[in-house]
């Protein structure tokens, strides 16, 4: 507590109030949230035993949103590389391991850049993915990469600091390179097909409120963005 | 020479002129007092310096400037793929599929940007020689439309450079949902293309070429060094990526450079594509 900066506490309180407002279904629920959030004050948003909020509106929230997605992607590819699916070619092993290293670099970058403002480490839940099967792994990878691209593209305009926007730009194009590669593994030539692009040949951005429910299906630690219109159920 | 008369004339044509030079109004005063003391012959030089300050690199480009710059690059790319598709290059069926898809996107990007810019759109006829480009870049790539490997090498350089060009403009569209979001949505498509072309080159035997950019120029083609200048950066936002923990040991230099793509300024990009005819 004593190491916290004042504005962090303000962020926590502000986010917590909004969170409680959204969550206010029953007295018992509020009691649990309030009790759980008492000893997790280091995070910018309210934290429960199963959830975290990206916090008050602003660049820190957007960076934490990116950090959450990168945590998920890194955890996924660490699993992929540790238990490579049956029939993986040498080329697939090499390049999927590269992607793992990129996502770990992204995750560690956000963690370092956010410092004490960072949300906690998220616990993933990959029970829906069969890591021994190529189809299952690549379908999940495709979803992660395409969602990542649409998430960065959709959050770009919310960023207020040009340096942060540039860094988001540096990362999103690498995610798009991954997406292109994974899609071609799933189906050659589908690197930028009409299922993801619009008629003008543009990727389709997604909002935070659209992306987090998708991410949360792979997370035990549910991520909310109460100040951007989404609270995990 | 009536300096203020000239500025008045400029303001009729460019109402924002005072805004462009507003941080430098003191400079104008300095120039006039300076001008009264020096020979009239020295004035044109002083005046051109003032204009360079008002309209040069230091000025923030308008949204229209940014979109027209993007349009010029899309004109180049679409013409390149149109020429490739119309050539007798012997693409495999798979390669042809890739090229046709990318060609469609680049032409769609042109139409999209033209529709956004409307009458402010730069005409394609202003580019190259009456709209016709020199894809050999003045003889640097003489076999670009007769040799598949050369074609794909140039394609890769165009796509990687396109990604860098869009990235370099993002800051000028900060907070502008209407312009930034579509620009980002094109930017990531160019990155999908860049990755796909790199995958083709890898499959054709360029075994060290990956879907992502490792280090600086990883193409094996010295003529495109400038297109990859700075891609070997390992510092992001004050964080040295190679000092961060990787899966085993710290993040490698290869992963640190590949995991972040780098921007180019419009001046850098224009210099790189000028030999093809972009103006």
């Amino acid at each position: 507590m004593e190491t916290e900066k004042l504005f962090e506490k303000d962020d926590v309180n502000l986010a917590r109030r909004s969170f409680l407002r959204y969550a206010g279904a029953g007295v018992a629920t509020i009691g649990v949230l309030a009790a759980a959030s008492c000893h997790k004050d280091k995070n910018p948003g309210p934290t429960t035993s199963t959830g975290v909020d990206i916090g008050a509106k602003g660049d820190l929230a957007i960076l934490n949103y990116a950090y959450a997605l990168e945590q998920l992607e890194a955890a996924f590819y660490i699993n992929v590389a540790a238990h490579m699916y049956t029939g993986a070619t040498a080329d697939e092993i090499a390049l999927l391991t590269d992607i793992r290293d990129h996502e770990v670099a992204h995750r560690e970058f956000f963690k370092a850049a956010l410092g004490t403002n960072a949300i906690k480490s998220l616990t993933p839940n990959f029970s829906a993915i069969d890591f021994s099967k190529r189809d299952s792994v690549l379908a999940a990878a495709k979803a992660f990469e395409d969602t990542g691209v649409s998430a960065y593209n959709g959050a770009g305009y919310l960023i207020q600091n040009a340096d942060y926007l540039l860094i988001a730009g540096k990362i999103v194009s690498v995610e798009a390179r991954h997406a292109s590669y994974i899609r071609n593994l799933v189906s050659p030539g589908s690197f930028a097909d009409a299922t993801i692009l619009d008629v003008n040949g543009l990727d389709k951005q997604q909002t935070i409120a659209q992306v987090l429910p998708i991410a949360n299906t792979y997370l035990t630690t549910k991520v909310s963005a109460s100040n951007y219109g989404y609270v995990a159920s | 020479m009536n300096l203020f008369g000239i500025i008045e004339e400029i303001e009729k044509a460019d109402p924002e002129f005072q805004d462009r030079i507003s941080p430098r109004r003191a400079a104008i005063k300095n120039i006039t007092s300076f001008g009264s003391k020096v020979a009239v012959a020295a004035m044109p030089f002083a005046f051109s310096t003032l204009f360079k300050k008002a309209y040069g690199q230091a000025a923030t480009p308008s949204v229209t400037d940014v979109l027209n710059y993007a349009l010029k690059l899309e004109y180049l790319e679409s013409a390149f793929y149109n020429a490739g598709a119309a050539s007798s290059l012997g693409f495999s069926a798979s390669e042809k599929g890739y090229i046709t898809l990318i060609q469609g996107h680049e032409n769609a990007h042109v139409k999209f940007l033209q529709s956004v810019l409307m009458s402010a759109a730069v005409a394609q006829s202003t580019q190259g020689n009456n709209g016709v480009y020199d894809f050999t870049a003045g003889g640097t790539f003489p076999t670009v439309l007769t040799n598949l490997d050369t074609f794909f090498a140039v394609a890769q350089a165009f796509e990687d450079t396109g990604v860098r060009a869009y990235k370099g403009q993002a800051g000028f569209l900060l907070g502008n949902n209407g312009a930034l979001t579509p620009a980002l949505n094109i930017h990531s498509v160019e990155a999908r293309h860049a990755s796909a072309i790199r995958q083709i080159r890898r499959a054709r035997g360029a075994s060290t070429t990956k879907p992502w950019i490792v280090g600086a120029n990883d193409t094996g083609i010295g003529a495109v060094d400038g297109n990859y200048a700075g891609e070997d950066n390992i510092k992001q936002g004050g964080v040295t990526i190679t000092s961060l923990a990787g899966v085993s040991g710290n993040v490698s230099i290869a992963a640190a450079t590949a995991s972040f793509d780098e921007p180019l300024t419009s001046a850098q990009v224009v210099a790189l594509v000028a030999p093809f005819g972009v103006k």
Side-chain angles (χ1 to χ4, degrees):
Chain A
M1 252 334 242
E2 60 280 2
T3 57
E4 284 182 32
K5 289 175 198 142
L6 188 60
F7 74 89
E8 288 173 341
K9 275 194 265 187
D10 286 349
D11 282 356
V12 169
N13 292 335
L14 194 66
R16 182 179 296 143
R17 274 200 300 276
S18 325
F19 186 71
L20 290 177
R21 186 153 43 81
Y22 279 97
V27 176
T29 316
I30 291 172
V32 170
L33 290 170
S37 59
C38 284
H39 48 83
K40 291 285 185 185
D41 278 342
K42 278 207 136 178
N43 297 312
T47 305
T48 71
S49 56
T50 56
V52 63
D53 195 290
I54 62 170
K57 257 191 185 177
D59 284 355
L60 287 178
I62 304 303
L63 295 178
N64 267 315
Y65 171 56
Y67 178 42
L69 298 178
E70 297 294 351
Q71 285 192 53
L72 178 57
E73 286 193 297
F76 169 72
Y77 285 106
I78 285 170
N79 258 328
V80 171
H83 321 277
M84 197 59 81
Y85 51 77
T86 309
T89 66
D91 210 49
E92 288 168 11
I93 293 170
L95 294 181
L96 288 169
T97 303
D98 270 18
I99 296 180
R100 175 199 66 183
D101 291 343
H102 301 167
E103 305 299 2
V104 168
H106 292 164
R107 180 191 68 191
E108 292 303 307
F109 163 74
F110 281 114
K111 188 179 180 184
L114 280 159
T116 57
N117 293 302
I119 56 169
K120 66 177 180 179
S121 293
L122 306 176
T123 306
N125 174 0
F126 296 131
S127 59
I129 302 163
D130 183 345
F131 283 92
S132 70
K133 293 208 162 59
R134 188 178 190 271
D135 287 358
S136 177
V137 168
L138 295 182
K142 175 176 143 180
F144 284 132
E145 299 294 353
D146 281 340
T147 304
V149 170
S150 69
Y152 277 100
N153 284 352
Y157 85 99
L158 297 168
I159 298 174
Q160 293 155 7
N161 176 304
D163 294 335
Y164 297 158
L165 175 61
L166 177 57
I167 285 175
K170 290 180 179 202
I171 293 174
V172 66
S173 56
V174 174
E175 303 293 353
R177 290 174 186 275
H178 295 167
S180 171
Y181 171 64
I182 300 284
R183 289 184 140 263
N184 281 343
L185 287 183
V186 173
S187 171
S190 69
F191 57 95
D193 68 20
T195 63
I196 36 164
L197 268 55
D198 70 13
V199 292
N200 295 315
L202 273 63
D203 260 311
K204 294 178 208 162
Q205 79 279 4
Q206 292 198 87
T207 65
I208 296 173
Q210 288 173 309
V211 168
L212 284 181
I214 302 169
N216 280 337
T217 61
Y218 299 99
L219 287 168
T220 300
T221 319
K222 304 295 183 194
V223 180
S224 292
S226 56
N227 295 300
Y228 292 90
Y230 171 71
V231 174
S233 51
Chain B
M1 175 182 273
N2 181 351
L3 183 60
F4 288 107
I6 291 168
I7 287 176
E8 250 173 56
E9 287 302 310
I10 293 168
E11 280 183 298
K12 280 180 197 160
D14 177 2
E16 287 164 17
F17 179 70
Q18 284 291 356
D19 289 336
R20 290 185 201 275
I21 61 167
S22 66
R24 302 181 183 89
R25 280 185 188 174
I28 298 180
K29 268 186 211 149
N30 290 342
I31 282 175
T32 46
S33 62
F34 168 73
S36 64
K37 284 171 200 151
V38 299
V40 173
M43 276 307 291
F45 174 74
F47 203 18
S48 77
T49 305
L50 171 67
F51 271 159
K52 224 175 244 169
K53 283 182 177 174
Y55 287 100
Q57 284 183 11
T60 303
S62 67
V63 172
T64 303
D65 294 339
V66 171
L67 296 182
N68 262 323
Y69 164 65
L71 178 58
K72 288 178 187 177
L73 298 178
E74 297 290 353
Y75 279 146
L76 173 70
E77 287 190 303
S78 59
F80 173 72
Y81 288 106
N82 293 344
S87 74
S88 50
L89 283 164
F91 294 115
S92 70
S94 154
E95 290 165 356
K96 183 78 180 174
Y98 277 50
I99 293 307
T100 304
L101 186 61
I102 297 177
Q103 178 193 8
H105 295 157
E106 307 299 9
N107 283 283
H109 293 167
V110 165
K111 285 204 179 76
F112 174 72
L113 290 168
Q114 284 175 329
S115 73
V116 173
L117 282 159
M118 294 187 288
S119 64
V122 166
Q124 211 224 321
S125 58
T126 65
Q127 302 294 295
N129 185 0
N130 199 25
V132 179
Y133 296 95
D134 171 13
F135 294 117
T136 74
T140 304
F141 307 105
T143 58
V144 62
L145 291 174
T146 52
N147 178 293
L148 276 175
D149 288 316
T150 311
F151 176 83
F152 284 123
V154 174
Q156 180 187 315
F158 278 161
E159 297 293 350
D160 281 334
T161 305
V163 173
R164 304 191 69 180
Y166 274 95
K167 203 186 315 295
Q169 298 301 298
F172 300 125
L173 306 175
L174 189 73
N176 184 337
N177 189 12
L180 176 64
T181 306
L184 289 174
N185 283 332
I186 296 178
H187 168 247
S188 56
V189 171
E190 301 294 346
R192 288 177 188 271
H193 293 168
S195 172
I197 298 287
R198 284 171 164 268
Q199 291 164 51
I200 290 178
R201 290 193 68 232
R202 185 174 176 89
R204 290 180 62 83
S207 58
T208 57
T209 298
K210 293 183 169 181
W212 27 89
I213 305 171
V214 180
N217 182 3
D218 62 353
T219 65
I221 301 155
V224 295
D225 276 352
N227 300 61
Y228 294 91
E231 280 286 0
D232 52 353
N233 178 28
I234 56 164
K235 258 194 153 176
Q236 304 296 343
V239 177
T240 302
I241 304 302
T242 49
S243 72
L244 300 171
V247 172
S248 53
N250 282 1
V251 175
S252 68
I253 292 175
T257 61
S259 55
F260 293 82
D261 281 340
E262 300 297 324
L264 285 174
T265 65
S266 60
Q268 286 174 304
V269 171
V270 167
L272 291 168
V273 293
F276 296 95
V278 176
K279 293 171 185 171

